[in-house]
Amino acid sequence: MPSFTELSLIEMQTGLREGRFSSHELVEAALERIAALEPSLHAFLHIAADSALKQADEADHKGMAGPLPLHGIPIAIKDVLTVDSMPATAGSKILEGFRPPYTATAVKRLQDAGAIVIGKTNTDEFAMGSSTEHSAYGVTHNPWDPSRVPGGSSGGSAVAVAARLVPAALGTDTGGSVRQPASFCGVTGLKPTYGRVSRYGLIAFGSSLDCIGAFGRSSEDVALIFEIMAGWDALDATSVEKPMVSPSTSLHSAQGESIRGMRIGVPQEYFIEGMQAEVQTRTRAAIAQLEDLGAEVSEISLPHTEYALPVYYILAPAEASANLARFDGVRYGPRAEADSLREVFFKTRGQKFGPEVTRRIMLGTYALSAGYYDAYYGQAQKARTLIKQDFENAFEQVDLIACPATPTTAFEIGAHKGDPLAMYLEDVFTLPASLAGVPGISFPVGFDNQGLPIGMQLLAPHFGEDLLFKVTHIYQQVTDWHKRKPEI
Ligand code: GLN
């Protein structure tokens, strides 16, 4: 038997059900590996060793009577989601020491299904970033090359899965923060349709964009997590009440099935000058493989793609500037010493928000200010509609869209220091789907000549997650990129 941390989510589920090992053994092995690798990776902001072991013992004690799908399986949660017994910092000093009194719906559903939260993972401050370098608690390192970033903002969760610390982890994707780190770390990551997973208990960044997603080693593992956490929730008014094709049933029916006749569109705007050549070649090779498997591949156009980046960097900061107004030194976390209430606000925010968050609040406040609202925010909303319409038009011709997930592989830590625009450009291929609210999955399709993983993205119409899982699963059955792991 491989060592416990080598097991995938489904393998853990099966092994526990068959009584081949205990939850205690799984959790203990995960904690040992975390303890050994944290000094070099720094994937976690909080490790709940004692409570995880206690829950594992309880799970073993209960046994598998009426088996829950995630009974006794350790997982990790990005530290922008609340878990009631743990701190929640959102990677920021302004929430240092804050303990939320409730658990996010997505996490609660996983716990109710038996999962054991082993810890909270590192993130760019308030999920603003593409490298995890904006965390106030230090950078997370990419396990394929520790001198490189893991991507972000859900870098800690991507690393926790890639380094075999846990079989699955939750992240959030506002503009690419699951798909991009999944691609940098060689794992599979899903951004669901906006509204498919409740945002209750997610510390808000851009409320019209925020989605809770999942990382795993394969489409199958991610589908299992998604299926459990998705669905309507009375606590989130934007969560959608819509029946779901069960991804695991659709994967089951995909066994031995081909994707014959499936129409896959490749947007010409996603192969741009300046992107890394190997990313292009490997993505094209994976698309060719889908064609060999029976898909009908055609070139399509999403003509407003170039506006996604400027539109996102107006709308997301605008929403963030409103959402982050609540962090004032009164309600949560630390409070600066000051003589007046006004000064408490200014000083606490001035001292505790990091530079990227401050930049976004200023950008957002400016875009929303009386004299500029129409010119920036209003225009950006109109352009967002055009981007959404691009997808609607495309999905009249094709079932799925295939494209690169990121323009480059993982970059060196510090490479974009002092150049926020260069950092923003990392999101160029993930932002359009976020603005349109459509689901996307990113999964490994090869390596560059430095041995760094390359990820590709599939995008589906709203609520088409089952299709994403199915095609990715079929690809993963005939390839082994997703099984490669870093040597650490
Ligand atoms: N990198 C993008 C940003 O900085 C996306 C972040 C995210 O998806 N949370 O805003």
Side-chain angles (χ1 to χ4, degrees), residues 424-488:
Y424 297 170
L425 275 167
E426 293 292 335
D427 307 324
V428 63
F429 298 147
T430 49
L431 296 175
S434 295
L435 291 165
V438 298
I441 195 165
S442 125
F443 55 96
V445 294
F447 291 86
D448 70 5
N449 65 12
Q450 313 218 50
L452 298 167
I454 295 171
M456 176 176 115
Q457 206 179 185
L458 287 175
L459 306 173
H462 292 112
F463 306 105
E465 286 87 356
D466 58 308
L467 207 56
L468 298 178
F469 290 130
K470 183 171 153 180
V471 175
T472 309
H473 180 62
I474 288 174
Y475 178 82
Q476 290 181 334
Q477 283 184 311
V478 296
T479 53
D480 71 350
W481 303 115
H482 64 294
K483 293 192 179 142
R484 313 278 181 96
K485 53 173 186 168
E487 278 166 28
I488 42 159

Side-chain angles (χ1 to χ4, degrees), residues 205-225:
F205 164 12
S207 304
S208 77
L209 297 152
D210 292 342
C211 293
I212 299 174
F215 297 92
R217 285 183 219 154
S218 66
S219 169
E220 252 185 321
D221 284 4
V222 176
L224 180 58
I225 297 284

Side-chain angles (χ1 to χ4, degrees), residues 78 127-130 152-153 172-177 205 312-313 360 427:
K78 182 181 183 181
M128 297 174 188
S130 310
S153 59
T172 59
D173 190 314
T174 302
S177 281
F205 164 12
Y312 174 87
Y313 278 99
R360 305 251 182 143
D427 307 324

